[in-house]
Structure formats: structure tokens, C-alpha cells
Amino acid sequence: MKTFVYEKAATPEAAVADVTVGAKFIAGGTNLLDLMKLQVETPDKLVDISRLPLGEIEEREDGGLTIGALVPNSDLAADPRVIAKYEVLSRALLAGASGQLRNKATTGGNLLQRTRCYYFYDTAMACNKREPGSGCSAIGGFTRVHAILGASEQCIATHPGDMPVAMRALDAVIITLKADGDKRRIPIGDFYRLPGDTPQIETVLEPGELITHVELPAPAAGKQLYRKVRDRASYAFALVSVAGVVSVENGKIASAALAFGGVAHMPWRDPAVEAALIGQAPSDVVFAAAADALVANAKGQGTNDFKIPLARRTLIACLRELTETR
């Protein structure tokens, strides 16, 4: 591991002032430390934010929640308000990792997980995300866990998270503190970037910008669900996951919010999928139309071609459960 300077931040304002070029924030460290050990991440300085007063979950006047960036995943999943009003989020968190990791991993850090692409983790392999312009060894390689949507000729990696997929379905808003002291409110749908020609730029965060909170709006009506399809039941990243909130009124689908993990560079949400459902009576024909919309532009890379029919089947199964259709 490369030698680095370590500092503890006393306030959020001090933290953003300390993170200059070549520095990184560290909280739980469940992803960053692994990457540092492998020389994938080589910061000159770590600014420890783990003691900042950002570890509370507060109720909002509109019925939603404000979640501090340092709330551990285990605490968030077990919070009675989250279980009662945001079941999809609690389920996603519990599906995300081992209990030990959930105790350390934080809300803000979880949003910023980096891909688990094999080639990104192997510094002997070309990776445009790790070293821009070097190429993408994944293309033409073993691609079982790689993207079928939103990829580019520069990168076919996927976002590995579970919590962010649920938050995408819940229309979360990310609150940040910038290096100049200004605050930003970023809808989660605008937070992540597709790879395009710059796969190394994964979010819209500016240098030194710190996530301080996540806001969840009042929960939408309807049944909630999170389903994760993976190679093994414990501690594995999603091949395909679905976070859904769907309501049925008077025999028709009144609202639908559906987000997908394991299929793209970001938590994926396609308005065409929801448009195929809203106003329709639940049926396998309608569900198939929504699934067709999901994979309309999907492209496999050989060893991940199976993800396309898997995504269709998983969505249809989830919609049956969400609408209680047999």
C-alpha cells in the first residue's frame, strides 16, 4: 500500500477544505481500503470523516426521512421507520453484504461504491476506468457480471450497489457540501453518469464535494419489493436486481417506480418500463410489454448474454408479486 497522510476532520467544513487534489474521504472504508491494498486507489491523503455528526436519521415534516451520510447500513436497515415506510430499502440493505460489513459501511460510502469488474481490480489488465485511455480488457473477456444496458466502447462495468437501486426507486435526493462551502441537492437520477468516453468519472460530484445527507420523500402508495438474483445466497453481487414500488387502484396500475441493479453502470431506471404499466390492468401480457421495454436496447457481451432473458423473467416475477397477480 502506498504511504499516505492521515487526518481527522472535526467538522464537515474542515473536511471539504482538507480534501485537496490527491486526497480521499474515508468513513467505513469497506471499499476504499480494499482498493488501496490492491493499488487501484492510491490517495496521497485520507481525511477521516467517521466522527462527524452525520449519523442520525430524522423525520421530515413531509413524512419522509433525512438520513445522515454516516448512518451504518445495519442501523438504516433496522430502523423501525425504514422498515415500516421503506421496506424496499431495508430489504436491499440486508441483501447487500455480510453483517460485519453492514456494521461498518455507511450510507454515503454505499452510494459511491466502485465497480467489482474483475479487470478494474487487476492492475495488470487494461482498464479505462482505472487508467483512462488504456483500453477495456473486459470487452472480449469474461463478462458474466458486466453491463447489458448503458455501456460504451470504453467500459462495460456495472454499479455493484443494492441500497442505491432501492433509493433510485424511492426518488432519493443527495445533499452535499462543496469545497467552496455551498450546498447542493442532487436527485439520485442525476447523480450517476454513464461511462461514455469518460468511465473514470462516475458521478457528478466535484473535487472535494462531500455527501452529508440523503433525503427520502414521503413513501409512495403501493407495495414495495426488492429482489436480488445472484450466484449464491450470501455475500454476492447482483446479476440482476429489481427495486419496485407499485400501486393498484380500481383494478389498474396507478403508479410504478422500478429500478434495476446489476445491469448497468448506474442504478437503472427507464421511464418506458413504467409507462408500459401505468393505467393497465395487471396481466402477464402487460408485464411482458414492460419487460420488453426494459431490454429493448440491451446488448450482451457473450458470457453475459443470459442476463437479458434473466432481467425479463425477474421483472415479470416481481410485477406479479407487486400486483398480487397469479
Side-chain angles (χ1 to χ4, degrees), residues 1-5 36 39 42-45:
M1 184 185 291
K2 175 185 171 181
T3 301
F4 57 87
V5 175
M36 289 174 64
Q39 300 289 307
T42 55
D44 298 317
K45 179 168 71 172

Side-chain angles (χ1 to χ4, degrees), residues 57 71-84 89-91 93-94 102:
I57 303 172
V71 173
N73 285 180
S74 54
D75 289 0
L76 187 58
D79 188 278
R81 295 161 294 185
V82 174
I83 294 171
L89 177 57
S90 182
R91 287 191 178 195
L93 286 160
L94 293 174
R102 291 197 301 270

Side-chain angles (χ1 to χ4, degrees), residues 18-202:
D18 285 343
V19 173
T20 53
V21 175
K24 290 274 186 180
F25 296 120
I26 186 168
T30 56
N31 188 200
L32 177 59
L33 291 178
D34 284 344
L35 293 171
M36 289 174 64
K37 291 173 185 177
L38 294 171
Q39 300 289 307
V40 175
E41 293 271 13
T42 55
D44 298 317
K45 179 168 71 172
L46 292 182
V47 177
D48 187 343
I49 61 171
S50 63
R51 294 166 181 81
L52 298 183
L54 301 173
E56 300 297 324
I57 303 172
E58 299 176 341
E59 294 185 51
R60 295 163 46 82
E61 290 184 1
D62 65 359
L65 294 178
T66 297
I67 303 162
L70 296 179
V71 173
N73 285 180
S74 54
D75 289 0
L76 187 58
D79 188 278
R81 295 161 294 185
V82 174
I83 294 171
K85 300 198 292 186
Y86 305 99
E87 180 186 2
V88 62
L89 177 57
S90 182
R91 287 191 178 195
L93 286 160
L94 293 174
S98 67
Q100 296 93 327
L101 284 171
R102 291 197 301 270
N103 287 339
K104 289 295 292 181
T106 62
T107 300
N110 202 298
L111 290 167
L112 297 174
Q113 283 189 87
R114 304 206 69 189
T115 184
R116 261 57 178 191
C117 171
Y118 326 115
Y119 303 97
F120 172 72
Y121 267 72
D122 186 347
T123 56
M125 294 291 182
C127 174
N128 289 317
K129 183 180 287 293
R130 192 182 63 245
E131 186 178 347
S134 63
C136 177
S137 293
I139 297 176
F142 183 65
T143 59
R144 180 173 178 78
V145 301
H146 288 78
I148 56 172
L149 292 165
S152 74
E153 294 182 358
Q154 303 299 315
C155 182
I156 59 171
T158 55
H159 187 277
D162 292 284
M163 183 199 79
V165 180
M167 287 190 168
R168 182 74 180 90
L170 293 169
D171 291 317
V173 176
I174 298 165
I175 313 300
T176 69
L177 179 66
K178 296 171 62 176
D180 61 8
D182 288 345
K183 295 182 178 180
R184 276 211 291 174
R185 295 174 55 84
I186 309 170
I188 193 168
D190 298 331
F191 183 72
Y192 295 101
R193 291 167 46 108
L194 290 177
D197 294 329
T198 55
Q200 75 279 11
I201 304 175
E202 298 170 349

